[in-house]
Amino acid sequence: SAPGKGWEPKIMGQDKRQILRYDVLREVSRVRSPSMQSLATQSLEALKEAEATVAAAAAEAAAQAAAAAAAAAAPASALPASPASGLGTAELQTSGDGLLGGGLGSQLAL
């Protein structure tokens, strides 16, 4: 990985954890030395914990993305009603120099 970029999970297109699990640790576990057996066991346990942490972080990120998408896709009817909603149709009558002017007895439906 490039300096400052952080840990990259792949090397030459292959997943580093898969290489560790199926290639490196398999070879280490073949050595009959108790210290090598212990190293392989501890490494495998640490690998399982790391994979569980990555999986939990991915699940949390997916849940947050789904919640954000659901919030963005919420229909307008799900939004709170405006103060004027639910008042129905009202008529405003004016006469003379009223709101609509011109001395016409006009009506405006709200």
Coordinates of all heavy atoms in Angstrom, one line a residue:
S1 N 0.8 -1.2 0.0 CA 0.0 0.0 0.0 C 0.9 1.2 0.0 O 2.0 1.2 0.5 CB -0.9 0.0 1.2 OG -0.2 0.1 2.4
A2 N 0.3 2.3 -0.5 CA 1.1 3.6 -0.6 C 1.2 4.2 0.7 O 0.3 4.1 1.6 CB 0.4 4.5 -1.6
P3 N 2.3 4.9 1.0 CA 2.4 5.6 2.3 C 1.2 6.6 2.5 O 0.8 7.3 1.6 CB 3.7 6.4 2.2 CG 4.5 5.7 1.1 CD 3.4 5.1 0.2
G4 N 0.6 6.5 3.7 CA -0.5 7.4 4.1 C -1.8 7.0 3.6 O -2.8 7.6 3.9
K5 N -1.9 5.9 2.8 CA -3.2 5.5 2.3 C -3.9 4.5 3.2 O -5.1 4.2 3.0 CB -3.0 4.8 0.9 CG -2.7 5.9 -0.1 CD -3.1 5.4 -1.5 CE -4.5 5.2 -1.6 NZ -5.1 5.4 -2.9
G6 N -3.2 4.0 4.2 CA -3.8 3.0 5.1 C -3.7 1.6 4.6 O -3.0 1.4 3.6
W7 N -4.3 0.7 5.3 CA -4.2 -0.7 5.0 C -5.0 -1.0 3.8 O -6.2 -0.7 3.7 CB -4.6 -1.6 6.2 CG -4.3 -3.0 6.0 CD1 -3.1 -3.6 6.1 CD2 -5.3 -4.0 5.7 NE1 -3.2 -5.0 5.9 CE2 -4.5 -5.2 5.6 CE3 -6.6 -4.0 5.4 CZ2 -5.1 -6.4 5.3 CZ3 -7.2 -5.2 5.2 CH2 -6.5 -6.4 5.1
E8 N -4.4 -1.7 2.8 CA -5.2 -2.2 1.6 C -5.5 -3.7 1.8 O -4.6 -4.5 2.1 CB -4.3 -2.0 0.4 CG -4.1 -0.5 0.0 CD -5.3 0.2 -0.4 OE1 -6.2 -0.4 -1.0 OE2 -5.4 1.4 -0.1
P9 N -6.7 -4.1 1.6 CA -7.0 -5.5 1.9 C -6.6 -6.5 0.8 O -6.6 -7.7 0.9 CB -8.6 -5.5 2.0 CG -9.0 -4.3 1.2 CD -7.9 -3.3 1.3
K10 N -6.1 -6.0 -0.4 CA -5.7 -6.8 -1.5 C -4.3 -6.6 -1.9 O -3.8 -5.4 -1.7 CB -6.6 -6.6 -2.7 CG -8.0 -7.1 -2.4 CD -8.8 -7.1 -3.7 CE -10.2 -7.5 -3.4 NZ -10.5 -8.9 -3.8
I11 N -3.6 -7.6 -2.3 CA -2.3 -7.5 -2.9 C -2.3 -8.3 -4.2 O -2.7 -9.4 -4.2 CB -1.2 -8.0 -1.9 CG1 0.2 -7.7 -2.5 CG2 -1.4 -9.4 -1.5 CD1 1.3 -7.9 -1.5
M12 N -1.9 -7.6 -5.3 CA -1.9 -8.2 -6.6 C -3.2 -8.9 -6.9 O -3.3 -10.0 -7.5 CB -0.7 -9.2 -6.7 CG 0.7 -8.5 -6.5 SD 2.1 -9.6 -6.5 CE 1.8 -10.8 -7.7
G13 N -4.3 -8.2 -6.5 CA -5.6 -8.7 -6.8 C -6.2 -9.8 -5.9 O -7.3 -10.3 -6.1
Q14 N -5.4 -10.2 -4.9 CA -5.8 -11.3 -4.0 C -6.0 -10.8 -2.6 O -5.2 -9.9 -2.2 CB -4.8 -12.4 -4.0 CG -4.7 -13.1 -5.4 CD -3.8 -14.4 -5.3 OE1 -3.1 -14.6 -4.3 NE2 -3.8 -15.2 -6.3
D15 N -7.0 -11.3 -1.9 CA -7.3 -10.8 -0.6 C -6.2 -11.3 0.4 O -5.9 -12.5 0.4 CB -8.7 -11.4 -0.2 CG -9.1 -10.9 1.2 OD1 -9.5 -9.7 1.2 OD2 -9.1 -11.6 2.2
K16 N -5.7 -10.4 1.1 CA -4.6 -10.7 2.0 C -5.0 -11.7 3.1 O -4.3 -12.6 3.5 CB -4.0 -9.5 2.7 CG -3.3 -8.6 1.8 CD -2.8 -7.3 2.5 CE -2.1 -6.3 1.6 NZ -1.7 -5.1 2.3
R17 N -6.2 -11.6 3.6 CA -6.7 -12.5 4.7 C -6.9 -13.9 4.1 O -6.6 -14.9 4.9 CB -8.0 -12.0 5.2 CG -7.9 -10.7 6.1 CD -9.2 -10.3 6.7 NE -9.0 -9.1 7.4 CZ -9.5 -7.9 7.0 NH1 -10.1 -7.8 5.8 NH2 -9.3 -6.8 7.7
Q18 N -7.3 -14.0 2.9 CA -7.4 -15.4 2.3 C -6.1 -16.0 2.1 O -5.9 -17.2 2.4 CB -8.2 -15.3 1.0 CG -9.6 -14.8 1.1 CD -10.5 -15.7 1.9 OE1 -10.4 -17.0 1.8 NE2 -11.3 -15.2 2.8
I19 N -5.1 -15.2 1.7 CA -3.7 -15.7 1.6 C -3.2 -16.2 2.9 O -2.6 -17.3 3.0 CB -2.8 -14.6 1.0 CG1 -3.2 -14.3 -0.5 CG2 -1.3 -15.1 1.0 CD1 -2.5 -13.1 -1.1
L20 N -3.4 -15.4 3.9 CA -3.0 -15.7 5.3 C -3.6 -17.0 5.7 O -3.0 -18.0 6.2 CB -3.3 -14.6 6.3 CG -2.9 -14.9 7.7 CD1 -1.4 -15.1 7.9 CD2 -3.3 -13.7 8.6
R21 N -5.0 -17.1 5.6 CA -5.7 -18.2 6.1 C -5.4 -19.5 5.4 O -5.1 -20.6 6.0 CB -7.2 -18.0 6.0 CG -8.1 -19.1 6.5 CD -9.5 -18.9 6.2 NE -10.0 -17.8 7.0 CZ -10.6 -17.9 8.2 NH1 -10.8 -19.0 8.7 NH2 -11.0 -16.8 8.8
Y22 N -5.4 -19.5 4.0 CA -5.3 -20.7 3.3 C -3.9 -21.1 2.8 O -3.7 -22.2 2.4 CB -6.3 -20.7 2.1 CG -7.7 -20.6 2.5 CD1 -8.5 -19.4 2.4 CD2 -8.3 -21.7 3.2 CE1 -9.8 -19.4 2.8 CE2 -9.6 -21.6 3.7 CZ -10.3 -20.4 3.5 OH -11.6 -20.4 3.9
D23 N -3.0 -20.1 2.8 CA -1.7 -20.4 2.3 C -0.7 -20.4 3.5 O 0.0 -21.4 3.8 CB -1.2 -19.5 1.2 CG -2.1 -19.6 0.0 OD1 -2.5 -20.7 -0.3 OD2 -2.3 -18.6 -0.7
V24 N -0.5 -19.2 4.1 CA 0.5 -19.1 5.1 C 0.2 -19.9 6.4 O 1.1 -20.7 6.8 CB 0.7 -17.6 5.5 CG1 1.7 -17.4 6.6 CG2 1.1 -16.8 4.3
L25 N -1.0 -19.8 7.0 CA -1.3 -20.5 8.2 C -1.3 -22.0 8.0 O -1.0 -22.8 8.9 CB -2.6 -20.0 8.8 CG -2.5 -18.6 9.4 CD1 -3.8 -18.2 10.0 CD2 -1.4 -18.5 10.5
R26 N -1.7 -22.4 6.8 CA -1.7 -23.9 6.5 C -0.3 -24.4 6.5 O -0.1 -25.5 7.1 CB -2.4 -24.1 5.1 CG -2.4 -25.6 4.7 CD -3.1 -25.8 3.4 NE -4.5 -25.5 3.6 CZ -5.3 -25.3 2.6 NH1 -4.9 -25.3 1.4 NH2 -6.6 -25.0 2.8
E27 N 0.6 -23.7 6.0 CA 2.0 -24.1 6.0 C 2.6 -24.1 7.4 O 3.3 -25.0 7.8 CB 2.9 -23.3 5.0 CG 2.5 -23.5 3.5 CD 2.7 -25.0 3.1 OE1 3.7 -25.6 3.5 OE2 1.8 -25.5 2.4
V28 N 2.3 -23.0 8.1 CA 2.8 -22.9 9.5 C 2.2 -24.0 10.4 O 3.0 -24.6 11.2 CB 2.4 -21.5 10.1 CG1 2.7 -21.5 11.6 CG2 3.2 -20.4 9.4
S29 N 1.0 -24.4 10.2 CA 0.4 -25.5 11.0 C 1.0 -26.9 10.7 O 0.8 -27.8 11.5 CB -1.1 -25.5 10.8 OG -1.5 -25.9 9.5
R30 N 1.6 -27.0 9.5 CA 2.2 -28.3 9.2 C 3.4 -28.6 10.0 O 3.8 -29.8 10.1 CB 2.5 -28.3 7.7 CG 1.3 -28.5 6.8 CD 1.6 -28.6 5.4 NE 0.4 -28.7 4.6 CZ 0.3 -28.6 3.3 NH1 1.4 -28.4 2.6 NH2 -0.8 -28.7 2.7
V31 N 4.1 -27.6 10.5 CA 5.3 -27.8 11.3 C 4.8 -28.3 12.6 O 3.9 -27.7 13.3 CB 6.0 -26.4 11.5 CG1 7.2 -26.6 12.4 CG2 6.4 -25.9 10.1
R32 N 5.4 -29.4 13.1 CA 4.9 -30.1 14.3 C 5.4 -29.5 15.6 O 5.0 -29.9 16.7 CB 5.3 -31.5 14.2 CG 4.7 -32.3 13.1 CD 3.2 -32.4 13.3 NE 2.7 -33.2 12.2 CZ 1.4 -33.1 11.9 NH1 0.6 -32.3 12.6 NH2 0.9 -33.7 10.8
S33 N 6.2 -28.4 15.5 CA 6.7 -27.7 16.7 C 5.5 -27.1 17.5 O 4.6 -26.5 16.9 CB 7.6 -26.6 16.3 OG 7.9 -25.7 17.3
P34 N 5.5 -27.3 18.8 CA 4.4 -26.7 19.6 C 4.3 -25.2 19.5 O 3.2 -24.6 19.5 CB 4.7 -27.1 21.0 CG 5.6 -28.3 20.9 CD 6.3 -28.1 19.6
S35 N 5.4 -24.5 19.4 CA 5.4 -23.1 19.3 C 4.8 -22.7 17.9 O 4.1 -21.7 17.9 CB 6.8 -22.5 19.4 OG 7.7 -23.0 18.4
M36 N 5.1 -23.4 16.9 CA 4.5 -23.1 15.6 C 3.0 -23.4 15.6 O 2.2 -22.7 15.0 CB 5.2 -23.9 14.5 CG 6.7 -23.4 14.3 SD 6.8 -21.7 14.0 CE 6.7 -21.7 12.2
Q37 N 2.6 -24.5 16.2 CA 1.2 -24.8 16.3 C 0.4 -23.7 17.1 O -0.7 -23.3 16.7 CB 1.0 -26.2 17.0 CG 1.5 -27.3 16.2 CD 0.6 -27.6 15.0 OE1 -0.6 -27.5 15.1 NE2 1.2 -27.9 13.9
S38 N 1.1 -23.2 18.2 CA 0.5 -22.2 19.0 C 0.4 -20.9 18.1 O -0.6 -20.2 18.2 CB 1.3 -21.9 20.2 OG 0.8 -20.9 20.9
L39 N 1.4 -20.6 17.4 CA 1.4 -19.4 16.5 C 0.3 -19.4 15.5 O -0.4 -18.5 15.3 CB 2.8 -19.2 15.8 CG 2.9 -18.1 14.8 CD1 2.8 -16.8 15.5 CD2 4.2 -18.2 14.0
A40 N 0.1 -20.6 14.9 CA -0.9 -20.8 13.9 C -2.3 -20.6 14.5 O -3.2 -19.9 13.9 CB -0.8 -22.1 13.2
T41 N -2.5 -21.2 15.7 CA -3.8 -21.1 16.4 C -4.1 -19.6 16.8 O -5.2 -19.1 16.5 CB -3.8 -22.0 17.6 OG1 -3.6 -23.3 17.2 CG2 -5.2 -21.9 18.3
Q42 N -3.1 -19.0 17.4 CA -3.3 -17.6 17.8 C -3.6 -16.7 16.6 O -4.4 -15.8 16.6 CB -2.1 -17.1 18.6 CG -2.0 -17.7 19.9 CD -0.7 -17.3 20.6 OE1 0.1 -16.6 20.1 NE2 -0.5 -17.8 21.8
S43 N -2.9 -16.9 15.5 CA -3.0 -16.1 14.3 C -4.4 -16.3 13.7 O -5.0 -15.4 13.2 CB -1.9 -16.4 13.3 OG -0.7 -16.1 13.8
L44 N -4.9 -17.6 13.7 CA -6.2 -17.9 13.1 C -7.3 -17.2 13.9 O -8.2 -16.6 13.4 CB -6.4 -19.4 13.0 CG -7.7 -19.8 12.3 CD1 -7.8 -19.3 10.9 CD2 -7.8 -21.3 12.3
E45 N -7.1 -17.2 15.3 CA -8.1 -16.6 16.1 C -8.1 -15.0 15.9 O -9.2 -14.4 15.8 CB -7.8 -16.9 17.6 CG -8.1 -18.3 18.0 CD -7.7 -18.6 19.4 OE1 -7.3 -17.7 20.2 OE2 -7.8 -19.8 19.8
A46 N -6.9 -14.5 15.8 CA -6.9 -13.0 15.5 C -7.5 -12.7 14.1 O -8.2 -11.7 14.0 CB -5.4 -12.5 15.6
L47 N -7.3 -13.5 13.2 CA -7.8 -13.3 11.8 C -9.4 -13.4 11.9 O -10.0 -12.6 11.3 CB -7.3 -14.4 10.9 CG -7.8 -14.4 9.4 CD1 -7.5 -13.0 8.8 CD2 -7.2 -15.5 8.6
K48 N -9.9 -14.4 12.6 CA -11.4 -14.5 12.8 C -11.9 -13.2 13.4 O -13.0 -12.7 13.0 CB -11.7 -15.7 13.6 CG -11.5 -17.0 12.9 CD -11.9 -18.2 13.7 CE -11.6 -19.5 13.0 NZ -11.9 -20.7 13.9
E49 N -11.3 -12.7 14.5 CA -11.7 -11.5 15.1 C -11.7 -10.3 14.2 O -12.6 -9.5 14.1 CB -10.9 -11.2 16.4 CG -11.1 -12.1 17.5 CD -10.2 -11.8 18.7 OE1 -9.6 -10.7 18.8 OE2 -10.1 -12.7 19.5
A50 N -10.6 -10.2 13.4 CA -10.5 -9.1 12.4 C -11.6 -9.2 11.4 O -12.2 -8.2 11.0 CB -9.1 -9.1 11.8
E51 N -11.9 -10.4 10.9 CA -12.9 -10.6 9.9 C -14.3 -10.2 10.5 O -15.2 -9.6 9.8 CB -12.9 -12.0 9.3 CG -11.7 -12.2 8.4 CD -11.6 -13.7 8.0 OE1 -12.1 -14.6 8.7 OE2 -10.9 -13.9 7.0
A52 N -14.5 -10.6 11.7 CA -15.8 -10.3 12.4 C -16.0 -8.8 12.6 O -17.1 -8.2 12.3 CB -15.9 -11.0 13.7
T53 N -14.9 -8.1 12.9 CA -14.9 -6.6 13.0 C -15.2 -6.0 11.7 O -16.1 -5.0 11.6 CB -13.6 -6.1 13.6 OG1 -13.4 -6.7 14.9 CG2 -13.6 -4.6 13.8
V54 N -14.6 -6.4 10.7 CA -14.8 -5.9 9.3 C -16.3 -6.1 8.9 O -16.9 -5.2 8.3 CB -13.8 -6.5 8.3 CG1 -14.2 -6.1 6.9 CG2 -12.4 -5.9 8.6
A55 N -16.8 -7.3 9.1 CA -18.1 -7.7 8.8 C -19.1 -6.8 9.5 O -20.1 -6.3 8.9 CB -18.4 -9.1 9.0
A56 N -18.9 -6.6 10.8 CA -19.8 -5.7 11.6 C -19.8 -4.3 11.1 O -20.8 -3.7 11.0 CB -19.4 -5.8 13.1
A57 N -18.6 -3.8 10.8 CA -18.5 -2.4 10.3 C -19.2 -2.3 8.9 O -19.9 -1.3 8.7 CB -17.1 -2.0 10.2
A58 N -19.1 -3.3 8.1 CA -19.8 -3.3 6.8 C -21.3 -3.3 6.9 O -22.0 -2.7 6.2 CB -19.3 -4.4 5.9
A59 N -21.7 -4.2 7.9 CA -23.2 -4.3 8.1 C -23.7 -2.9 8.7 O -24.8 -2.5 8.3 CB -23.5 -5.4 9.1
E60 N -23.0 -2.3 9.5 CA -23.4 -1.0 10.1 C -23.5 0.1 9.0 O -24.4 0.8 8.9 CB -22.5 -0.6 11.2 CG -22.9 0.7 11.9 CD -22.1 1.1 13.0 OE1 -21.4 0.3 13.6 OE2 -22.0 2.3 13.3
A61 N -22.4 0.1 8.1 CA -22.4 1.0 7.0 C -23.6 0.8 6.1 O -24.2 1.8 5.6 CB -21.1 1.0 6.3
A62 N -23.9 -0.5 5.8 CA -25.0 -0.8 4.9 C -26.3 -0.4 5.5 O -27.2 0.2 4.8 CB -25.0 -2.3 4.6
A63 N -26.5 -0.5 6.8 CA -27.7 -0.1 7.5 C -27.9 1.4 7.5 O -29.0 1.9 7.3 CB -27.7 -0.6 9.0
Q64 N -26.8 2.1 7.7 CA -26.8 3.6 7.6 C -27.1 4.0 6.2 O -27.9 5.0 6.1 CB -25.5 4.2 8.1 CG -25.3 4.0 9.6 CD -23.9 4.6 10.1 OE1 -23.1 4.9 9.2 NE2 -23.7 4.6 11.4
A65 N -26.6 3.4 5.2 CA -26.8 3.8 3.8 C -28.3 3.5 3.5 O -28.9 4.3 2.8 CB -25.9 3.0 2.9
A66 N -28.8 2.4 4.0 CA -30.2 2.1 3.7 C -31.2 3.0 4.4 O -32.2 3.5 3.8 CB -30.5 0.6 4.2
A67 N -30.8 3.4 5.6 CA -31.6 4.4 6.3 C -31.6 5.8 5.6 O -32.6 6.5 5.5 CB -31.2 4.6 7.8
A68 N -30.4 6.2 5.1 CA -30.3 7.4 4.4 C -31.1 7.4 3.1 O -31.8 8.4 2.7 CB -28.8 7.8 4.2
A69 N -31.0 6.3 2.4 CA -31.8 6.1 1.2 C -33.3 6.1 1.4 O -34.0 6.7 0.6 CB -31.4 4.8 0.4
A70 N -33.7 5.5 2.5 CA -35.1 5.5 2.8 C -35.6 6.9 3.2 O -36.7 7.3 2.8 CB -35.4 4.5 4.0
A71 N -34.8 7.6 3.9 CA -35.2 9.0 4.3 C -35.2 9.9 3.0 O -36.1 10.7 2.9 CB -34.2 9.6 5.3
A72 N -34.3 9.7 2.1 CA -34.3 10.5 0.9 C -35.5 10.1 0.0 O -36.0 11.0 -0.8 CB -33.0 10.3 0.1
A73 N -35.9 8.9 0.0 CA -37.0 8.4 -0.9 C -38.4 8.6 -0.2 O -39.4 8.2 -0.8 CB -36.7 7.0 -1.3
A74 N -38.5 9.1 1.0 CA -39.8 9.2 1.6 C -40.7 10.1 0.8 O -40.3 11.2 0.4 CB -39.6 9.8 3.0
P75 N -41.9 9.7 0.6 CA -42.9 10.5 -0.2 C -43.2 11.8 0.6 O -43.1 11.9 1.8 CB -44.1 9.6 -0.3 CG -44.0 8.7 0.9 CD -42.5 8.5 1.1
A76 N -43.6 12.8 -0.2 CA -44.0 14.1 0.4 C -45.1 13.9 1.4 O -45.2 14.7 2.4 CB -44.4 15.1 -0.7
S77 N -46.0 13.0 1.2 CA -47.1 12.8 2.1 C -46.7 12.4 3.5 O -47.4 12.5 4.5 CB -48.1 11.7 1.6 OG -47.5 10.5 1.5
A78 N -45.4 11.8 3.6 CA -44.9 11.4 4.9 C -44.4 12.6 5.7 O -44.1 12.5 6.9 CB -43.8 10.4 4.7
L79 N -44.2 13.7 5.0 CA -43.7 14.9 5.7 C -44.8 15.5 6.6 O -46.0 15.3 6.3 CB -43.3 16.0 4.7 CG -42.1 15.5 3.8 CD1 -41.8 16.6 2.7 CD2 -40.9 15.2 4.6
P80 N -44.5 16.3 7.6 CA -45.5 16.9 8.4 C -46.3 17.9 7.6 O -45.8 18.5 6.7 CB -44.7 17.6 9.5 CG -43.3 17.2 9.3 CD -43.1 16.5 8.0
A81 N -47.6 18.0 8.0 CA -48.5 18.8 7.3 C -48.2 20.3 7.5 O -47.7 20.7 8.6 CB -50.0 18.5 7.7
S82 N -48.4 21.1 6.5 CA -48.2 22.5 6.7 C -49.4 23.1 7.6 O -50.4 22.5 7.7 CB -48.2 23.3 5.4 OG -49.5 23.2 4.8
P83 N -49.2 24.3 8.2 CA -50.2 24.8 9.1 C -51.5 25.0 8.4 O -52.6 24.9 9.0 CB -49.6 26.1 9.6 CG -48.2 26.0 9.4 CD -48.0 25.1 8.3
A84 N -51.5 25.3 7.1 CA -52.8 25.6 6.4 C -53.5 24.3 5.9 O -54.6 24.4 5.5 CB -52.5 26.5 5.2
S85 N -52.8 23.2 6.0 CA -53.4 22.0 5.5 C -54.6 21.6 6.4 O -54.5 21.8 7.6 CB -52.4 20.8 5.4 OG -52.0 20.4 6.7
G86 N -55.5 20.9 5.9 CA -56.6 20.4 6.7 C -57.7 21.5 6.9 O -58.7 21.2 7.6
L87 N -57.5 22.7 6.4 CA -58.5 23.7 6.6 C -59.6 23.6 5.6 O -60.7 24.2 5.8 CB -57.8 25.1 6.5 CG -56.8 25.5 7.6 CD1 -56.2 26.8 7.3 CD2 -57.4 25.4 8.9
G88 N -59.4 22.9 4.5 CA -60.5 22.7 3.5 C -60.5 24.0 2.6 O -59.6 24.8 2.6
T89 N -61.6 24.1 1.9 CA -61.7 25.2 1.0 C -62.5 26.3 1.7 O -63.5 26.1 2.3 CB -62.5 24.8 -0.3 OG1 -61.8 23.7 -0.9 CG2 -62.6 26.0 -1.2
A90 N -61.9 27.5 1.7 CA -62.5 28.7 2.3 C -62.6 29.7 1.2 O -61.8 29.8 0.3 CB -61.6 29.2 3.5
E91 N -63.6 30.5 1.4 CA -63.8 31.6 0.4 C -63.6 32.9 1.1 O -64.0 33.1 2.2 CB -65.2 31.5 -0.2 CG -65.5 30.3 -1.0 CD -66.8 30.4 -1.6 OE1 -67.7 31.2 -1.3 OE2 -67.1 29.6 -2.5
L92 N -62.9 33.7 0.4 CA -62.6 35.1 0.9 C -63.4 36.0 0.0 O -63.2 36.1 -1.2 CB -61.1 35.4 0.8 CG -60.6 36.7 1.2 CD1 -61.0 37.0 2.7 CD2 -59.2 36.9 1.0
Q93 N -64.3 36.7 0.6 CA -65.1 37.6 -0.2 C -64.7 39.0 0.1 O -64.4 39.4 1.2 CB -66.6 37.5 0.2 CG -67.2 36.1 -0.1 CD -68.7 36.1 0.2 OE1 -69.3 37.1 0.6 NE2 -69.3 35.0 -0.1
T94 N -64.6 39.8 -0.9 CA -64.2 41.2 -0.8 C -65.2 42.0 -1.5 O -65.9 41.6 -2.5 CB -62.8 41.4 -1.4 OG1 -62.8 41.1 -2.8 CG2 -61.7 40.6 -0.7
S95 N -65.3 43.2 -1.1 CA -66.2 44.1 -1.8 C -65.6 45.5 -1.8 O -64.7 45.8 -1.0 CB -67.6 44.2 -1.1 OG -67.4 44.6 0.2
G96 N -66.0 46.3 -2.7 CA -65.5 47.7 -2.8 C -64.0 47.7 -3.0 O -63.5 47.1 -4.0
D97 N -63.2 48.3 -2.2 CA -61.8 48.5 -2.3 C -61.0 47.3 -1.7 O -59.8 47.4 -1.3 CB -61.3 49.8 -1.7 CG -61.8 51.0 -2.4 OD1 -62.8 50.8 -3.2 OD2 -61.4 52.1 -2.1
G98 N -61.7 46.2 -1.4 CA -61.1 45.1 -0.7 C -59.8 44.5 -1.3 O -59.2 45.1 -2.1
L99 N -59.5 43.3 -1.0 CA -58.3 42.6 -1.4 C -58.2 42.6 -2.9 O -57.1 42.8 -3.5 CB -58.2 41.2 -0.8 CG -58.0 41.1 0.7 CD1 -58.0 39.7 1.1 CD2 -56.6 41.8 1.1
L100 N -59.2 42.3 -3.6 CA -59.2 42.1 -5.0 C -59.4 43.4 -5.8 O -59.2 43.5 -6.9 CB -60.1 41.0 -5.5 CG -59.8 39.6 -5.0 CD1 -60.9 38.7 -5.4 CD2 -58.4 39.2 -5.3
G101 N -59.8 44.4 -5.0 CA -60.0 45.7 -5.6 C -61.0 45.8 -6.7 O -61.6 44.9 -7.1
G102 N -61.1 47.0 -7.3 CA -61.9 47.2 -8.4 C -63.4 47.3 -8.1 O -64.2 47.4 -9.0
G103 N -63.8 47.2 -6.9 CA -65.2 47.3 -6.6 C -66.0 46.1 -7.0 O -67.2 46.1 -7.0
L104 N -65.3 45.0 -7.4 CA -66.0 43.8 -7.8 C -66.2 42.9 -6.6 O -65.3 42.7 -5.9 CB -65.2 43.1 -8.9 CG -64.8 43.9 -10.1 CD1 -63.9 43.0 -11.0 CD2 -66.1 44.2 -10.9
G105 N -67.3 42.4 -6.4 CA -67.5 41.5 -5.3 C -66.9 40.1 -5.6 O -67.6 39.2 -6.0
S106 N -65.6 40.0 -5.6 CA -64.9 38.8 -6.0 C -64.8 37.8 -4.9 O -64.8 38.1 -3.8 CB -63.5 39.2 -6.5 OG -63.5 40.2 -7.5
Q107 N -64.5 36.6 -5.4 CA -64.3 35.5 -4.4 C -63.0 34.8 -4.8 O -62.6 34.6 -5.9 CB -65.4 34.4 -4.5 CG -66.8 35.0 -4.1 CD -67.8 33.9 -4.1 OE1 -67.6 32.9 -4.6 NE2 -69.0 34.2 -3.5
L108 N -62.3 34.3 -3.8 CA -61.0 33.6 -4.0 C -61.1 32.3 -3.2 O -61.3 32.4 -2.0 CB -59.8 34.5 -3.5 CG -58.5 33.9 -3.5 CD1 -58.1 33.6 -5.0 CD2 -57.4 34.8 -2.9
A109 N -60.9 31.2 -3.8 CA -60.9 29.9 -3.1 C -59.5 29.7 -2.6 O -58.5 29.8 -3.4 CB -61.3 28.8 -4.1
L110 N -59.3 29.3 -1.3 CA -58.0 29.0 -0.8 C -57.8 27.6 -0.8 O -58.5 26.7 -0.7 CB -57.9 29.5 0.7 CG -58.0 31.0 0.9 CD1 -58.0 31.3 2.4 CD2 -56.8 31.7 0.2

